[in-house]
Amino acid sequence: MAASSNSSLSGSSVSSDPEDYQPPIWKSYLYQLQQEAPRPKRITCPQEMESRPKYYGREFHGMIPREYADELLAGIEGAYLIRESQRQPGTHTLALRFGHQTLNYRLFYDGKHFVGEKRFESVHDLVTDALITLYIETKAAEYIAKMTTNPIYEHLGYTSLLKDKTVHRLSRGRTEPRRVTFQKDERISSPLVRRSALKDTPEKQCSYEKLHNFKVHTFRGPHWCEYCANFMWGLIAQGVRCSDCGLNVHKQCSKLVPSDCQPDLRRIKKVFSCDLTTLVKAHNTTRPMVVDMCIQEIELRGMKSEGLYRVSGFSEHIEDVRLAFDRDGEKADISATAYADINIIAGALKLYLRDLPIPVITFDSYSKFIQAAKIPNVDSRLEGIHESLLQLPPAHYETLRYLMAHLKRVTMLEKDNLMSAENLGIVFGPTLMQPPEQNALTTLNDMRQQKLVVQLMIEHEDVLF
């Protein structure tokens, strides 16, 4: 294959210094093919067509037979015209000459022109992109099928170095989930948490993995795939870009990229309503800074506040706190000078947790927690909740662990704040847990279990986490 001379890489070994990083040599075969692709040649209609839609030009020939369109396009590679369908009047067909034959496509317009997923400002652009795609996929079908077999992704030294540093930094600051077994200890007759004996078992090693958030993207100027090093062909929507880290790859390559997104702070537009794992990876923290800062402020001056987390702060002031975090991040001022009422800070924390696109107790884990809460036997119920906790993504687990330890400390001052584990379960159940189908009846039916799950996590925080 002609591309073999372009497949060599430089800088494939990982350097200890990012400044020593050498980028790979991008493979040019597909770029060369795009340059060779036929150019569009519009076949104009010699007379003015009264039936011509306003969004078509002289390439519109009205209601002509398919055979006549063939004659007009014959022998001109890249030639095209638009005709009205004789079988379905009012619908339009793009007739395009490629590979010594006429190809016919149903043509649509909804403000932009399209025959498939891609939408174009002009018919000329649509035909240009179609000719590029047809030419490359015809000439290089075998090459395209094999271009993901020898990816450069793992050889990108700077990316690998940053990933290693980030994983190391995160792993130093977080607590690994403990796998425990719950058993009754007949020698102790105090509450269940004290009857539970811990038994160490092998821990599941995990890191803060994050899927890339790929979205179809139009690249201006030549771009190469950062997974396979091949050119991303076409006029628009040539590939996908991760909106969190900026990785650019072919759509087919995106399915093979590891779950190792390292979000770029410059791409994170806000703090609230941002995916939890995305936020902690962008800031290189074990938990969202909102959770840490709000809990620290509450423990500094609000632990004895009556009705803590149950009493609402002014919604306008809570919104101000949200805007401050979105604008200033960890520099947001939530001190007593800025917000004297601690209920505003507590309300902002609840709002942050409630607005997560994926709840702290994830949609995937929701049913496991609900079923665990329905287990009659107390020890088995705790065992079920503990097993469900181990299934949470690391960032979610760490956030929940930190929050439950804080809420446990809140209950220790119940005499002052009147907030028991049950009361906090009522408040935080629907905040931390939401059914994946967002069904009002399901939410109503599960409220008791939601409350019980949070209540048990608070009461047995030292055993479950």
Side-chain angles (χ1 to χ4, degrees), residues 387-419:
E387 289 297 322
S388 301
L389 285 169
L390 294 176
Q391 304 305 312
L392 291 176
H396 288 246
Y397 177 91
E398 177 60 26
T399 299
L400 194 59
R401 182 196 68 80
Y402 189 74
L403 177 64
M404 291 303 113
H406 161 67
L407 295 180
K408 182 67 172 286
R409 292 190 288 272
V410 171
T411 62
M412 292 177 179
L413 297 170
E414 181 185 350
K415 187 164 63 174
D416 298 299
N417 58 41
L418 307 182
M419 294 304 290

Side-chain angles (χ1 to χ4, degrees), residues 99-203:
H100 308 295
Q101 61 180 323
T102 300
L103 309 175
N104 293 278
Y105 301 94
R106 177 80 175 273
L107 186 60
F108 301 91
Y109 181 80
D110 63 356
K112 291 189 176 182
H113 304 274
F114 63 99
V115 296
E117 293 181 355
K118 294 184 178 183
R119 282 164 163 72
F120 299 82
E121 297 291 342
S122 69
V123 174
H124 184 273
D125 286 349
L126 185 155
V127 174
T128 302
D129 186 82
L131 289 169
I132 290 170
T133 302
L134 287 167
Y135 188 77
I136 289 178
E137 291 183 354
T138 300
K139 292 283 186 179
E142 184 181 351
Y143 181 86
I144 291 172
K146 295 179 178 179
M147 69 182 184
T148 60
T149 57
N150 186 29
I152 64 161
Y153 189 74
E154 294 300 328
H155 300 289
L156 293 178
Y158 188 50
T159 303
S160 301
L161 183 64
L162 287 181
K163 180 172 70 175
D164 292 343
K165 285 186 175 181
T166 303
V167 170
H168 177 65
R169 180 173 176 176
L170 286 172
S171 63
R172 285 187 304 172
R174 66 185 172 88
T175 304
E176 288 287 349
R178 298 181 300 168
R179 183 177 294 278
V180 301
T181 303
F182 295 85
Q183 296 179 334
K184 282 189 177 182
D185 188 339
E186 300 300 335
R187 296 170 298 175
I188 305 176
S189 58
S190 50
L192 177 64
V193 65
R194 300 189 182 280
R195 288 181 298 157
S196 300
L198 299 186
K199 286 190 175 181
D200 293 332
T201 58
E203 295 178 355

Side-chain angles (χ1 to χ4, degrees), residues 32 45 79 92 99 132 163 257 283 294 368 375 404 412 438:
Q32 292 167 0
C45 184
H92 302 101
I132 290 170
K163 180 172 70 175
V257 175
H283 288 268
C294 287
K368 298 183 182 72
I375 297 174
M404 291 303 113
M412 292 177 179
Q438 297 296 318

Side-chain angles (χ1 to χ4, degrees), residues 214 219 225-227 232 239-240 247-251 253-254 257:
F214 287 119
F219 299 95
C225 175
E226 294 173 40
Y227 181 80
M232 292 195 282
V240 294
L247 183 70
N248 303 319
V249 296
H250 292 109
K251 188 175 181 180
C253 291
S254 69
V257 175

Side-chain angles (χ1 to χ4, degrees), residues 82-105:
I82 297 171
R83 60 182 177 85
E84 186 174 356
S85 173
Q86 290 181 312
R87 293 181 181 178
Q88 294 178 290
T91 65
H92 302 101
T93 298
L94 171 67
L96 173 63
R97 192 72 178 178
F98 177 80
H100 308 295
Q101 61 180 323
T102 300
L103 309 175
N104 293 278
Y105 301 94

